[in-house]
Amino acid sequence: MTKSTQKTFTFFLVALSGMLLLNCKSNQEEAQAVARAKARELVFIKKQADYVGEHGHKKEYDLKTGRVQE
């Protein structure tokens, strides 16, 4: 192998390693974001259930007319 081929190959390996490292970090951040969103959704569902339990009804939206029905 010539020196220029070795340099090109080395650069390619370093660039590939860097890209893999960045991709791994972004997957972890994405997983954490999904976990936070699921936790917020569970809190919202709990609050909604508490409200329905207290008031005994839930407002429903009619998509055809755009009106709120109880």
Side-chain angles (χ1 to χ4, degrees):
M1 246 193 239
T2 64
K3 283 191 174 188
S4 74
T5 306
Q6 287 177 346
K7 286 181 181 180
T8 304
F9 186 68
T10 303
F11 174 76
F12 174 74
L13 289 178
V14 169
L16 182 64
S17 299
M19 289 176 55
L20 290 174
L21 181 65
L22 289 175
N23 191 26
C24 182
K25 285 184 180 179
S26 103
N27 287 343
Q28 290 173 349
E29 291 171 358
E30 184 178 328
Q32 289 173 349
V34 168
R36 286 191 306 268
K38 285 183 179 182
R40 286 192 310 267
E41 184 178 13
L42 289 174
V43 169
F44 174 77
I45 290 171
K46 171 98 171 76
K47 285 182 181 179
Q48 188 178 27
D50 291 344
Y51 177 84
V52 171
E54 284 181 25
H55 296 90
H57 70 284
K58 179 179 176 184
K59 294 182 180 180
E60 294 182 12
Y61 299 94
D62 187 3
L63 293 175
K64 292 180 182 177
T65 62
R67 295 184 180 179
V68 177
Q69 300 174 350
E70 295 200 31

